[in-house]
Amino acid sequence: MHAWEKQGMENVFPGFSDFASLDEIGPIVLSHGEGIYVVDVDGKRYLDANSGLWNNVAGFNHQGIIDALCAQAQRFPGYHSFFGRVADVTVELSQRLIALSPFEDGKVYYTNSGSEANDTMVKMLWMINRAKGEPGRRKIITRQNAYHGVTVATSSMTAKPYNAEFGLPLPGFLHADCPHFWRNGLPGESEDAFTARMARNLEDLIEREGPETIAGMFAEPVQGAGGVIPPSKGYFQAIRPILRKYGIPLIADEVICGFGRLGAMWGSDVYGIEPDAIIASKCITAGYYPMGAVILGKGLSDALMEASDRFGEFPHGFTASGSPLGSAVALKALDVIENEGLIDNVRALTPHFQERLQRFNDRPHAGETRGIGFMGAIEIVADKVTKTPFDSKIGISERIANKAIQNGLICRPLGASVVLAPPFIMTRAEMDEMFDLLEKTFDAVFAEIRA
């Protein structure tokens, strides 16, 4: 093992890492990036098919974003947003985000991550309801297989089995059905009937818990870390009237989908979600600076201002919220995405991306290929007819991801799925390289399994 890898094993505690794989093959210690590729300390290049962690959409060495970061560092690198003091670039970014949002008016609250933004939104809802004389409205609805973060509150919102290791979820965090038709549809059930059932079950949950106890519902347009799960047809149109009927705000978690991943500025636009607030992060700075944002529509913004006026302030914040450095980077990243052809490239190459993805349907162990825009997943099964997964001891998706690394491709294992979410700057030739490497990887892995 190289000295860098050895030191990494000894001194770095990695998150969401398979320790058995690390013990066997060691970590990858990276030194720099070149476009859509990252390079390790030994000089080996890897095509990063996951944009880092969904976020490095402009590649790893975009000179314009780097220049914007450096220029702001020279002028005014760091400050807070407490006590009514805020950097000029943060004001400019807030105006830009409201203009890009589905809201005609509203306000933006800054955090350092999507987890913090979702956590902050929960506290905002709780404060609003106390001020309205409804302190019992505290329960939060999310969905099975959702991912909303890793703080204590957002881990409780994240309906993944691993959170049981922390003794979570906390009481009051409710998990509705996952609208994954392929996996959760009943025998003979049409997709329309499935969507109607999802809506009925949600209303049953609300009535069972008591509408007067529910503060809000959070939903990703496409469930990203759940394995790239688009909603069933008409899902948001079915649940939106139910939430309005009971006065429950709908918060769109756009941490992954926002700023172009689906070929539109927001996943909410693609699916007609009509949210009351948007949670943003990741692509907001193209991965060049940690930042998250709560974008409040006018209704929630006014309600939070009224609640804060009653108390005298909004008693919540982070030291680096609305950092001038982060704000300058975000302004440039949004300009690059919107005006330098990145979102246009996603739209132009989406048909080819999805066509290459669908080719995996011909393989015996590809149970479902699914995706939209520049995100896709292949769910691996032992039996396509019964949709039976491989024994978890095989670790099939981890095995595929590890073999891909050997082939110079970084893809992500998520449950029984292999996920792709490439940078927005990817060319057609690079896209073909990515899929060719993944096909080569599948051939090798399943040849080993058959043997």
Side-chain angles (χ1 to χ4, degrees):
M1 188 180 291
H2 192 286
W4 279 104
E5 284 83 10
K6 185 174 184 296
Q7 191 169 344
M9 289 288 287
E10 290 179 354
N11 301 126
V12 178
F13 200 101
F16 287 104
S17 300
D18 184 275
F19 291 125
S21 293
L22 285 178
D23 287 340
E24 181 181 346
I25 64 176
I28 298 172
V29 181
L30 301 170
S31 66
H32 64 284
E34 301 167 354
I36 69 168
Y37 300 88
V38 291
V39 185
D40 70 18
V41 289
D42 294 317
K44 182 175 178 178
R45 296 171 88 232
Y46 306 85
L47 191 159
D48 192 324
N50 285 99
S51 307
L53 205 57
W54 312 91
N55 56 341
N56 287 102
V57 294
F60 297 95
N61 62 339
H62 189 286
Q63 196 57 50
I65 299 176
I66 294 168
D67 289 344
L69 188 153
C70 293
Q72 184 64 38
Q74 290 284 343
R75 188 170 75 89
F76 189 29
Y79 207 68
H80 58 79
S81 296
F82 285 29
F83 319 126
R85 295 192 283 275
V86 61
D88 52 2
V89 287
T90 307
V91 173
E92 187 179 353
L93 175 61
S94 303
Q95 293 173 327
R96 180 77 174 275
L97 288 172
I98 293 297
L100 287 174
S101 80
F103 310 128
E104 292 184 7
D105 195 7
K107 295 183 185 296
V108 183
Y109 189 92
Y110 294 99
T111 66
N112 307 298
S113 68
S115 295
E116 291 176 357
N118 275 312
D119 193 287
T120 295
M121 186 74 246
V122 170
K123 290 180 70 176
M124 288 176 170
L125 291 170
W126 288 346
M127 186 174 182
I128 287 169
N129 288 324
R130 285 180 65 84
K132 288 166 58 178
E134 298 183 84
R137 273 194 183 262
R138 293 184 63 83
K139 294 176 185 175
I140 301 295
I141 298 175
T142 58
R143 299 173 298 173
Q144 291 291 338
N145 219 18
Y147 184 91
H148 296 287
V150 295
T151 64
V152 171
T154 57
S155 290
S156 296
M157 295 161 68
T158 294
K160 293 281 198 174
Y162 55 70
N163 280 316
E165 299 302 314
F166 303 102
L168 298 171
L170 296 174
F173 289 87
L174 313 175
H175 301 143
D177 296 306
C178 171
H180 186 187
F181 176 55
W182 177 82
R183 175 55 70 186
N184 299 327
L186 300 176
E189 185 176 39
S190 69
E191 189 167 0
D192 288 341
F194 172 79
T195 294
R197 179 163 62 87
M198 294 296 97
R200 285 196 306 274
N201 288 354
L202 175 62
E203 186 160 21
D204 289 347
L205 173 66
I206 292 169
E207 291 183 344
R208 187 166 60 248
E209 295 290 334
E212 72 284 356
T213 70
I214 298 173
M217 178 172 180
F218 290 66
E220 304 158 86
V222 175
Q223 290 184 259
V228 183
I229 302 171
S232 58
K233 184 173 61 177
Y235 173 79
F236 283 104
Q237 286 68 39
I239 70 166
R240 198 66 183 94
I242 295 169
L243 297 173
R244 287 201 175 104
K245 174 182 175 181
Y246 295 107
I248 298 169
L250 177 57
I251 315 304
D253 183 340
E254 295 264 12
V255 169
I256 286 173
C257 296
F259 306 114
R261 175 63 65 189
L262 307 188
M265 189 56 64
W266 304 105
S268 294
D269 297 333
V270 174
Y271 291 105
I273 294 176
E274 300 179 5
D276 296 291
I278 282 175
I279 305 300
S281 188
K282 293 196 183 293
C283 298
I284 195 171
T285 60
Y288 283 67
Y289 195 89
M291 176 175 276
V294 180
I295 306 173
L296 298 167
K298 183 172 174 55
L300 286 180
S301 173
D302 288 350
L304 185 62
M305 286 296 295
E306 183 177 343
S308 299
D309 285 343
R310 286 166 60 95
F311 181 73
E313 64 178 2
F314 179 51
H316 176 84
F318 306 95
T319 302
S321 296
S323 155
L325 200 58
S327 297
V329 170
L331 280 167
K332 182 60 181 179
L334 295 177
D335 186 54
V336 168
I337 290 169
E338 192 176 20
N339 301 319
E340 290 190 13
L342 268 67
I343 199 167
D344 294 333
N345 192 56
V346 173
R347 294 184 186 120
L349 287 182
T350 283
H352 188 58
F353 178 88
Q354 295 298 332
E355 187 273 326
R356 287 295 309 257
L357 182 69
Q358 293 299 318
R359 288 188 200 176
F360 282 83
N361 280 326
D362 297 333
R363 292 173 175 266
H365 294 292
E368 182 189 38
T369 61
R370 55 182 179 262
I372 180 173
F374 265 29
M375 61 193 304
I378 305 161
E379 184 150 341
I380 315 302
V381 293
D383 186 291
K384 290 184 75 157
V385 175
T386 62
K387 304 177 185 178
T388 305
F390 278 92
D391 189 311
S392 60
K393 294 177 182 177
I394 294 176
I396 187 64
S397 63
E398 191 76 27
R399 192 165 175 172
I400 291 169
N402 288 342
K403 181 65 72 174
I405 287 288
Q406 295 176 25
N407 292 332
L409 174 70
I410 293 175
C411 59
R412 185 175 177 186
L414 276 172
S417 300
V418 174
V419 168
L420 303 172
F424 298 173
I425 62 168
M426 176 173 268
T427 66
R428 185 183 177 98
E430 290 168 338
M431 187 171 286
D432 283 330
E433 179 189 359
M434 175 182 72
F435 280 109
D436 289 347
L437 288 170
L438 189 58
E439 288 176 353
K440 175 183 176 182
T441 298
F442 267 60
D443 290 340
V445 168
F446 288 107
E448 291 173 359
I449 289 174
R450 285 193 297 271

